[in-house]
Amino acid sequence: RFVGVTDSVAVTSGLRADGAAVRDAATGGLAGSAVTVGTVLGNLVGWGIPPADAIAAVSANAADAVGLEDRGRIEVGMRADLVVLDDELGVVGVPEQT
């Protein structure tokens, strides 16, 4: 059981190469990260997490962790923003809303 998250911080000074957001360039103080969910997903799989578990970590597990019962799964009645991924987990499209 684990959750993949992003900090979603406002970057005030810049980004390091690893995606960390730097709040104070003079001291190197970190404000958090500025990685996308896609980057988190790719990192998890790159670290050996099976793709299905990594996808659950950034969707269902993440929603459950913060008590959002109306999202995180593809089921009738759930809120969803879907993307189509290729075999390397890169985004190749977004389904048209109906």
Side-chain angles (χ1 to χ4, degrees), residues 2-98:
F2 57 95
V3 176
V5 298
T6 64
D7 290 352
S8 186
V9 297
V11 177
T12 59
S13 297
L15 296 177
R16 295 188 336 193
D18 64 1
V22 179
R23 175 181 298 145
D24 183 347
T27 66
L30 297 179
S33 74
V35 297
T36 65
V37 172
T39 299
V40 172
L41 180 61
N43 287 343
L44 292 172
V45 172
W47 296 331
I49 305 298
D53 292 339
I55 290 168
V58 300
S59 57
N61 296 1
D64 291 348
V66 294
L68 297 174
E69 298 176 1
D70 65 340
R71 61 198 82 189
R73 293 164 184 79
I74 302 173
E75 296 176 4
V76 173
M78 297 292 245
R79 294 181 57 183
D81 293 315
L82 303 176
V83 296
V84 179
L85 305 174
D86 61 19
D87 290 339
E88 287 77 40
L89 302 175
V91 175
V92 296
V94 179
E96 193 172 313
Q97 291 184 347
T98 58

